[in-house]
Amino acid sequence: MHPFSLFRLWLVQIRYALTRELAFRANFFAWVIVELSWFVLQLAFVGVVYHHVDRIAGWSRHEMIVLVSTNQLIQQIFTAFLMPGLTKLPELVRTGKLDFVLLKPVPPQFLVSTAQLEIGPLANAGIATLVTGMGLHALGIVPTFASLVAYLLLLFTGLLVHYALLLFLVSLTFWIVQAESVLLGYYSIFQVARLPREAAFGWFRVIFTFALPLLLVANIPAATLIRGMEPGPMALFLLTSLFATLFASLFFHQGLRRYQSASS
Amino acid sequence: MISTLRALPTVFSIGLQRQLAYRWNYLLRALFSAMPLLVSWVFWQAVFRTKETVGAYTLPGLLTYYAVLLIVESVSSPADDDFQISREIREGMLNPILLRPLPYGIYRFFLFLAGRCAYFTAAFLPVVICFFLLSRAVPLELGNLDLFRGLPALLGSALLQFSLTLCLSLTSFWFLDISALIFLVYSLEFLAGGHVFPLDLLPTPIFAVARLLPFAYEYWFPTASLCGTLSREAWQAGLCLQFGWALAFLVLAHFIWQAGLRKYTAAGG
């Protein structure tokens, strides 16, 4: 299928999902508050730890705020556009409703990933952007145009890592009947992304840099804003995230072969 | 009364079978629950690179707190009891339960107990492996564990978490979807409950306020009791507050249930 057709289809899906979301406005505001409370929790943790120390692995309090809020920004964009669809996959497989997806003349991975949208997280992405800006202001940093463009590209690369991890986890549903705990797994594993890269060591650092580059997801974009562009780590981030996405996609298709329709 | 008591082992058994039907889901959940401990280890060893102590904690002391927290969580935290109760009310599955001579709260409590037993069994091996691996890297202070103070606090934590969950879930009589409310309370439990960091790392005035809230008695208090870091007076006062909060939520749940039943419409069979 032509990429432009997929893009048009995605826009249609967004319009449909937006209409559905706006029908439940109270729910929208409730989720904005929920997500905000989790972000406040992370910032409170930073506040408590820096109440006792000045620097952690070379990161000052405001640098850590930029790191945490960058991570939040990527996570919220992911939660808005891709996560709602992916988390529905276990239910689709269990109930056999994946049949309706497979019958459509569109790549199933695309349909599964983009079928849903939540607009609440976008409001929180705005708040995360604001906190990032405040962190930079406190550090006395005014990012250049080039570093801002690089930051945006790196955010997109970070989205790929989120996508790869969750796609891999939800694809386990083809082997395990009830795989609701994979969402817990996603949130548990993604705590790694909030760590300063320099804090990690040994096999932990190797695995979460090269195999599943979670240590790069927020670190590289945040470091780009704070310390400027570093081509080496940026290239590593791009390569590892592309590889992770490819691997997850292959795993999804491998799982799809095991799918047994519930209706036939 | 006797028939109610006779039914309880059956309810427990049904709950256990229901949980064990999805063994892989459980095992995955147990494995993932060890991840925060790993992240805490990496993060805090970076914090302790420049300092010997943070608050009253050394690195082994702090990691012992997180490791014991893992046990507290596996023993006392409800899994998806809140969503199950909400579904039972919303989808009318309450009808057959209402016909039975068994109080709903007791019925749910035994399902909760079964869930905790199943989860603790599934989580036991991953937790032991975690402890073993972590103790090879950091000398955990497991020799100081105080079971005499820890076990009553653990029991109180389970009762408190169950009663709070019951209160929240029963609001489903009025609201179509309570997942936002549940996740909002989760975040409060994580922050003010001592799940993200031990509450005694908070600045003193904030810590004093946090100790009055019920959340502190869900995670921080049982964990600190087990770790043996509380004085006798602090433990006694904490236990009174913990059971006091649990009782208050149970009474509240009773009133919510009574009010909810007046609103509930049973349709179908």
Side-chain angles (χ1 to χ4, degrees), chain B residues 25-262:
Chain B
N25 192 43
Y26 249 63
L27 193 63
L28 274 180
R29 197 183 172 94
L31 280 174
F32 289 139
S33 68
M35 197 67 200
L37 181 60
L38 187 62
V39 174
S40 299
W41 170 41
V42 173
F43 179 79
W44 284 104
Q45 65 79 32
V47 173
F48 278 92
R49 269 180 209 162
T50 51
K51 287 191 92 173
E52 286 286 310
T53 56
V54 171
Y57 289 92
T58 58
L59 179 61
L62 196 60
L63 289 177
T64 306
Y65 176 89
Y66 283 108
V68 172
L69 180 67
L70 202 61
I71 298 176
V72 170
E73 194 182 15
S74 69
V75 172
S76 65
S77 296
D80 60 344
D81 298 63
D82 33 22
F83 289 102
Q84 280 179 24
I85 296 171
S86 175
R87 206 178 310 128
E88 279 175 355
I89 296 170
R90 203 177 55 243
E91 296 176 6
M93 289 148 68
L94 212 54
N95 304 355
I97 303 168
L98 288 175
L99 292 173
R100 294 174 197 158
L102 183 65
Y104 184 70
I106 294 178
Y107 166 73
R108 284 307 323 181
F109 184 67
F110 271 76
L111 288 182
F112 164 74
L113 279 186
R116 290 303 79 210
C117 286
Y119 182 72
F120 186 70
T121 310
F124 185 73
L125 195 61
V127 167
V128 168
I129 293 171
C130 243
F131 269 57
F132 175 71
L133 292 176
L134 195 62
S135 60
R136 286 184 66 179
V138 182
L140 294 179
E141 295 171 353
L142 296 173
N144 299 339
L145 287 190
D146 188 342
L147 292 179
F148 176 74
R149 287 184 186 170
L151 290 179
L154 198 54
L155 187 73
S157 163
L159 194 63
L160 176 60
Q161 296 204 45
F162 169 76
S163 56
L164 181 58
T165 298
L166 196 60
C167 280
L168 288 175
S169 320
L170 292 178
T171 56
S172 291
F173 281 116
W174 292 271
F175 303 110
L176 192 63
D177 183 6
I178 60 159
S179 48
L181 179 67
I182 288 171
F183 280 105
L184 186 65
V185 176
Y186 277 175
S187 68
L188 283 173
E189 286 173 332
F190 268 57
L191 181 63
H195 201 283
V196 186
F197 51 82
L199 291 182
D200 36 358
L201 284 184
L202 284 167
T204 313
I206 304 176
F207 178 48
V209 174
R211 285 180 81 162
L212 296 174
L213 301 175
F215 308 114
Y217 300 94
E218 294 186 67
Y219 298 113
W220 172 77
F221 178 68
T223 308
S225 299
L226 274 168
C227 289
T229 53
L230 291 178
S231 68
R232 188 159 169 260
E233 292 74 29
W235 176 73
Q236 284 172 341
L239 207 62
C240 287
L241 266 171
Q242 187 185 43
F243 278 90
W245 273 116
L247 190 66
F249 281 122
L250 283 176
V251 172
L252 183 64
H254 174 73
F255 285 117
I256 298 175
W257 171 255
Q258 296 287 341
L261 274 191
R262 280 195 287 275

Side-chain angles (χ1 to χ4, degrees), chain A residues 30-31 34 37-38 41 44-45 48 52-53 56 176 178-181 184-185 188 191-192 195 198-201 208, chain B residues 22 24-25 28-29 32 35-36 42-43 45-46 49 51 54-55 179-180 183-184 186-187 190-191 196-197 201-202:
Chain A
W31 279 104
V34 170
S37 70
W38 284 97
L41 185 149
F45 179 61
V48 167
H52 297 278
V53 292
I56 300 168
I176 305 165
Q178 195 186 28
E180 269 72 12
S181 58
L184 174 77
S188 299
Q191 292 184 20
V192 175
L195 291 172
E198 294 77 3
F201 54 92
F208 289 113
Chain B
Y22 303 110
W24 278 104
N25 192 43
L28 274 180
R29 197 183 172 94
F32 289 139
M35 197 67 200
V42 173
F43 179 79
Q45 65 79 32
R49 269 180 209 162
K51 287 191 92 173
V54 171
S179 48
F183 280 105
L184 186 65
Y186 277 175
S187 68
F190 268 57
L191 181 63
V196 186
F197 51 82
L201 284 184
L202 284 167

Side-chain angles (χ1 to χ4, degrees), chain A residues 9 11 26 70 77 85 89 91 103 132-133 168 173 176 184 209 238 244 252 255:
Chain A
L9 182 61
L11 289 181
T70 296
I77 296 172
L89 182 66
E91 192 190 330
L103 284 171
T132 307
F168 174 81
T173 197
I176 305 165
L184 174 77
T209 300
L238 189 65
F252 170 80

Side-chain angles (χ1 to χ4, degrees), chain A residues 31-260:
Chain A
W31 279 104
V32 168
I33 293 168
V34 170
E35 291 289 347
L36 192 59
S37 70
W38 284 97
F39 185 37
V40 169
L41 185 149
Q42 292 170 36
L43 293 175
F45 179 61
V46 172
V48 167
V49 178
Y50 279 93
H51 177 66
H52 297 278
V53 292
D54 297 325
R55 299 185 88 81
I56 300 168
W59 290 67
S60 68
R61 177 194 292 260
H62 293 295
E63 286 174 342
M64 189 65 91
I65 287 173
V66 173
L67 175 70
V68 168
S69 53
T70 296
N71 184 54
Q72 172 78 357
L73 175 58
I74 300 170
Q75 185 149 31
Q76 291 302 310
I77 296 172
F78 179 70
T79 308
F81 290 106
L82 295 164
M83 192 174 172
L86 287 176
T87 52
K88 290 277 186 297
L89 182 66
E91 192 190 330
L92 290 178
V93 172
R94 200 173 59 244
T95 57
K97 287 179 183 167
L98 191 66
D99 293 8
F100 301 112
V101 174
L102 297 176
L103 284 171
K104 289 173 185 159
V106 182
Q109 187 186 329
F110 175 82
L111 272 187
V112 166
S113 309
T114 59
Q116 309 267 334
L117 169 82
E118 281 179 20
I119 49 174
L122 290 178
N124 283 308
I127 294 169
T129 309
L130 195 69
V131 176
T132 307
M134 286 162 66
L136 288 173
H137 179 71
L139 289 166
I141 294 172
V142 181
T144 61
F145 179 72
S147 63
L148 274 178
V149 172
Y151 182 73
L152 290 176
L153 287 173
L154 292 166
L155 290 186
F156 180 76
T157 313
L159 280 179
L160 285 183
V161 182
H162 275 267
Y163 180 71
L165 178 65
L166 192 58
L167 180 64
F168 174 81
L169 287 174
V170 295
S171 298
L172 288 172
T173 197
F174 292 113
W175 284 270
I176 305 165
V177 180
Q178 195 186 28
E180 269 72 12
S181 58
V182 295
L183 198 58
L184 174 77
Y186 164 77
Y187 282 119
S188 299
I189 296 173
F190 239 96
Q191 292 184 20
V192 175
R194 287 199 296 269
L195 291 172
R197 192 158 63 113
E198 294 77 3
F201 54 92
W203 56 266
F204 185 92
R205 185 165 184 162
V206 173
I207 290 174
F208 289 113
T209 300
F210 297 102
L212 186 61
L214 296 182
L215 279 173
L216 308 180
V217 168
N219 272 267
I220 301 294
T224 300
L225 283 182
I226 297 167
R227 293 159 200 164
M229 284 183 277
E230 293 175 294
M234 284 166 69
L236 174 71
F237 183 30
L238 189 65
L239 278 176
T240 48
S241 57
L242 283 174
F243 180 77
T245 312
L246 187 67
F247 178 80
S249 181
L250 287 173
F251 189 68
F252 170 80
H253 284 94
Q254 192 65 32
L256 209 53
R257 287 188 190 174
R258 283 180 57 91
Y259 176 68
Q260 291 172 316

